[in-house]
Amino acid sequence: MTGECVIITLLLIFAALALLRAKRRKWAMAILPLMVLPVVSSLAGMVCEYMLNVEFRFIGAVIAIMTALIASCTWIGFLAATLLQKRKARVPYMVGCIAFDVILAAVILADYYTALPQ
């Protein structure tokens, strides 16, 4: 799942750069919290496997992913309250971003759960 998380992060970076190029700085900044979960997932897996030479177990994944999910959702709420002025933009942004984060966290944790030894 590390490779998929790296690809998701790269796609979000490209989306933020495209928004910056279109002079939509607020929306480019609003994409940044979506990168927290895939970055934490890919970095935690790489650090455990390549630097520490230990297997990244399910409990470690749950702790890392849930911490990243809480941080990302808090950051989304903060940005919605400070950056986005109109309620019409704020509510769909929060619902879409939090749904993206929760679904991504569930997929990542399901991948770690299916890899458990039986």
Side-chain angles (χ1 to χ4, degrees), residues 23-102:
K23 294 181 177 55
R24 304 273 185 181
R25 293 184 67 207
K26 287 183 181 180
W27 286 105
M29 287 180 56
I31 287 179
L32 295 178
L34 297 177
M35 292 182 208
V36 171
L37 196 62
V39 166
V40 166
S41 177
S42 59
L43 284 181
M46 284 192 274
V47 165
C48 282
E49 290 178 24
Y50 299 116
M51 292 182 159
L52 301 176
N53 292 326
V54 294
E55 188 177 334
F56 192 50
R57 303 268 180 173
F58 180 69
I59 298 300
V62 169
I63 292 169
I65 298 302
M66 288 302 161
T67 304
L69 181 65
I70 291 168
S72 178
C73 289
T74 304
W75 194 6
I76 288 168
F78 174 75
L79 286 180
T82 57
L83 265 157
L84 306 175
Q85 307 303 328
K86 298 179 183 176
R87 183 174 165 87
K88 285 184 177 182
R90 193 178 305 155
V91 173
Y93 165 74
M94 285 183 61
V95 169
C97 288
I98 291 174
F100 173 82
D101 274 347
V102 169

Side-chain angles (χ1 to χ4, degrees), residues 98-110:
I98 291 174
F100 173 82
D101 274 347
V102 169
I103 292 169
L104 184 61
V107 168
I108 293 170
L109 289 178

